[in-house]
Amino acid sequence: MSNRNFSKAKAREAGQGYVFMSPTLLVLLLFIIGPILYAIFLAFHKVQLLGAADFQYVGFDNFTKIMNDEKAKIALWNTFKYVIIVVPVQTILALVLAATLNAGIKGQKFFRIIYFLPTLTSSAVLTLIFMWMYNQNGLFNKFLSIFGLPGYNWIGDPSIALNAIMMMNIWSTAPFYMVIYLAALQDIPESLYEAAELDGANVFQKFLFITVPNLRPVTSFVVIMGLIGTFQLFDQSYIFSGGSGGPNNSTLTVVLLIYQYAFKSMGTMGYAAAIAFALAIVILIATLIQRKFSKEESLY
């Protein structure tokens, strides 16, 4: 075959490949790449989308405005508290549950199904169920009354409302990461545990010195996914507070604040896009820091 014919065949093959990929490329362009680029464009403009669309270039004014926005500071602090509590707790709980269910206890298949059920429930439905349980006469307060403990205003007390959302999310997300840990535990050679047992290691020592080190890559993945998910908390906070972030802004998160500025305030769509862009940078930095620490740990 001549070089010219070979080039034509190669070009035809490449063209066919792009034709087959075109639906996926079109979806990526319309629903992922396009919106990202448009959001970046909006972040540098003062935008009025309702009525006659108006775009006024303001440079970095939207980003500097964030530094002086008290609601943005409150939302960032609430999100930060949520992240530093939920991510470690759900990771540790998922690891412990996975190790327990992998230890060969009786009925482990039944417990695996039961523990995984919260993950199958819709987030909105789960939030409504917990709001019913958090009610003044709900399940939680009745349970506390059995032990003679006082009940709490779980939804209406600013000092407790965010903690209530934390508990709900830890309970609902830990089983998902538990399944990931369960799959990773199958790859740890049984000979390591047998050798440790011959050396006199007990259950806790085998867990700390064999299970945990061998699961570091999976733990890194779980933490990164947890960071991304917790920074994007929105639906539970929205449903709990009716979209206000209350009581007293105690459940106001960064994503909920973006929603408020984008769809509840006039002329602040560009500012909302700037906050969203800043949040994306924060998530990226947090992810890179976590990956750097995980790589340094793997060297030792």
Side-chain angles (χ1 to χ4, degrees), residues 7-85:
S7 299
K8 287 182 178 179
K10 197 171 183 179
R12 189 183 307 112
E13 184 179 345
Q16 291 173 348
Y18 283 113
V19 169
F20 287 124
M21 288 192 301
S22 58
T24 301
L25 294 175
L26 182 63
V27 170
L28 288 174
L29 180 63
L30 288 178
F31 298 105
I32 297 180
I33 300 175
I36 291 174
L37 295 177
Y38 187 59
I40 295 174
F41 168 79
L42 292 178
F44 293 93
H45 291 77
K46 183 178 180 181
V47 183
Q48 176 65 47
L49 292 179
L50 298 178
D54 180 40
F55 300 89
Q56 180 183 349
Y57 179 75
V58 294
F60 288 91
D61 288 356
N62 286 330
F63 294 95
T64 57
K65 184 180 175 182
I66 298 175
M67 308 301 295
N68 301 316
D69 188 347
E70 289 300 321
K71 287 191 72 174
K73 293 178 182 178
I74 293 172
L76 183 60
W77 174 242
N78 289 339
T79 305
F80 177 74
K81 286 192 298 183
Y82 180 82
V83 169
I84 62 173
I85 293 175

Side-chain angles (χ1 to χ4, degrees), residues 3 13 31 42 53-54 106 157 201 212 245 290:
N3 289 335
E13 184 179 345
F31 298 105
L42 292 178
D54 180 40
K106 291 183 178 180
D157 189 341
V212 174
Q290 196 283 326

Side-chain angles (χ1 to χ4, degrees), residues 7-259:
S7 299
K8 287 182 178 179
K10 197 171 183 179
R12 189 183 307 112
E13 184 179 345
Q16 291 173 348
Y18 283 113
V19 169
F20 287 124
M21 288 192 301
S22 58
T24 301
L25 294 175
L26 182 63
V27 170
L28 288 174
L29 180 63
L30 288 178
F31 298 105
I32 297 180
I33 300 175
I36 291 174
L37 295 177
Y38 187 59
I40 295 174
F41 168 79
L42 292 178
F44 293 93
H45 291 77
K46 183 178 180 181
V47 183
Q48 176 65 47
L49 292 179
L50 298 178
D54 180 40
F55 300 89
Q56 180 183 349
Y57 179 75
V58 294
F60 288 91
D61 288 356
N62 286 330
F63 294 95
T64 57
K65 184 180 175 182
I66 298 175
M67 308 301 295
N68 301 316
D69 188 347
E70 289 300 321
K71 287 191 72 174
K73 293 178 182 178
I74 293 172
L76 183 60
W77 174 242
N78 289 339
T79 305
F80 177 74
K81 286 192 298 183
Y82 180 82
V83 169
I84 62 173
I85 293 175
V86 172
V87 173
V89 173
Q90 74 181 9
T91 302
I92 294 171
L93 180 60
L95 177 56
V96 172
L97 287 174
T100 303
L101 293 178
N102 196 58
I105 61 174
K106 291 183 178 180
Q108 63 180 12
K109 291 184 179 180
F110 170 76
F111 286 113
R112 287 180 183 181
I113 295 172
I114 294 299
Y115 287 154
F116 190 69
L117 284 178
T119 305
L120 302 177
T121 308
S122 166
S123 177
V125 173
L126 191 66
T127 304
L128 292 174
I129 293 172
F130 266 81
M131 286 183 69
W132 169 74
M133 292 193 295
Y134 282 142
N135 193 280
Q136 290 278 29
N137 298 317
L139 189 62
F140 280 98
N141 283 342
K142 287 183 178 179
F143 178 77
L144 292 174
S145 66
I146 295 175
F147 300 95
L149 298 173
Y152 293 98
N153 185 7
W154 297 92
I155 300 176
D157 189 341
S159 63
I160 297 176
L162 186 62
N163 296 332
I165 297 178
M166 289 181 189
M167 293 189 334
M168 179 189 67
N169 276 286
I170 290 170
W171 181 82
S172 62
T173 55
F176 172 75
Y177 298 119
M178 176 197 73
V179 173
I180 297 175
Y181 274 123
L182 274 172
L185 284 169
Q186 311 304 314
D187 293 331
I188 300 177
E190 191 64 31
S191 58
L192 294 177
Y193 294 103
E194 293 172 356
E197 194 170 344
L198 290 174
D199 289 336
N202 57 35
V203 174
F204 296 104
Q205 289 172 328
K206 287 189 286 186
F207 176 76
L208 290 175
F209 298 108
I210 296 178
T211 304
V212 174
N214 279 278
L215 291 178
R216 277 178 182 168
V218 179
T219 301
S220 177
F221 170 78
V222 168
V223 171
I224 290 173
M225 295 301 294
L227 284 171
I228 295 172
T230 50
F231 268 116
Q232 296 177 340
L233 173 67
F234 169 73
D235 48 351
Q236 296 94 337
S237 179
Y238 179 88
I239 296 172
F240 257 77
S241 63
S244 67
N248 195 25
N249 291 325
S250 61
T251 61
L252 181 66
T253 63
V254 175
V255 180
L256 179 56
L257 182 66
I258 293 170
Y259 168 81

